[in-house]
Amino acid sequence: MAAYREVVGFPGYRVSRYGEILNSAGRRIAVHTNRRGYVITCLGYGKSVKIHRVVAMAWIPNPEGHPQVNHIDGNKSNNSVHNLEWVSNSQNIAHAFANGLHPNPEKPVIGVCLETGAGVWAKSQHAVGHFGFKYRSVNNCLRGRAKSHRGYAWGYA
């Protein structure tokens, strides 16, 4: 029989190292896949939880306090403890780009100074940090939510 640990925040529920969740009566809880491809279920009073986070919280130490759980092989349905790791947001994004998992592959961007007309070129919106710009603010410009960031108008190259 597989070993189980209590689901953090949900007394009476237990989770195995492979993502199987049991209720207090020892019955397996049904799971399904959401629109983004993550395996989820409802616990407690209808609280939706992602299985990979439940497994990581129960089985994987997080001494650095990273906020996200990464699927090492990129397969969102493989919720085995051996396939999960705690990571920062930037580590998670870097992993997705490095393994071709990111839905928006890198596209070069250009920032044009509104005052001087000088330009800044970056291989992607994530690389703008090397020039002192904020990724999220540049992203807002690229999506049309903002006109400029730090005096630069941004667009795809």
Side-chain angles (χ1 to χ4, degrees):
M1 180 165 170
Y4 290 85
R5 290 190 179 168
E6 188 170 288
V7 174
V8 176
F10 296 93
Y13 291 93
R14 294 170 293 153
V15 63
S16 76
R17 297 173 67 83
Y18 303 99
E20 180 180 77
I21 298 181
L22 303 179
N23 66 14
S24 58
R27 285 186 231 128
R28 193 177 309 171
I29 300 294
V31 299
H32 67 279
T33 304
N34 70 8
R35 289 178 296 175
R36 297 188 65 210
Y38 292 100
V39 180
I40 64 171
T41 193
C42 289
L43 300 179
Y45 296 100
K47 172 76 172 149
S48 179
V49 295
K50 293 178 182 170
I51 301 299
H52 69 287
R53 288 197 60 83
V54 170
V55 171
M57 288 171 30
W59 292 95
I60 303 172
N62 187 9
E64 296 178 26
H66 289 306
Q68 296 182 3
V69 180
N70 180 45
H71 289 88
I72 297 168
D73 70 358
N75 179 356
K76 295 177 185 177
S77 64
N78 181 358
N79 294 310
S80 165
V81 72
H82 304 292
N83 185 48
L84 303 174
E85 63 182 347
W86 287 102
V87 294
S88 67
N89 182 47
S90 59
Q91 289 170 322
N92 207 5
I93 291 170
H95 178 266
F97 275 116
N99 293 286
L101 303 170
H102 198 277
N104 300 319
E106 292 186 345
K107 295 180 188 175
V109 295
I110 296 175
V112 178
C113 180
L114 299 173
E115 220 175 88
T116 66
V120 174
W121 181 89
K123 71 176 185 171
S124 72
Q125 57 187 315
H126 296 283
V128 298
H130 297 293
F131 302 105
F133 298 99
K134 293 186 178 184
Y135 156 76
R136 289 185 193 268
S137 298
V138 170
N139 189 33
N140 284 336
C141 294
L142 294 170
R143 292 177 179 238
R145 295 181 194 150
K147 293 188 181 203
S148 65
H149 169 55
R150 294 198 176 156
Y152 284 75
W154 294 90
Y156 290 106

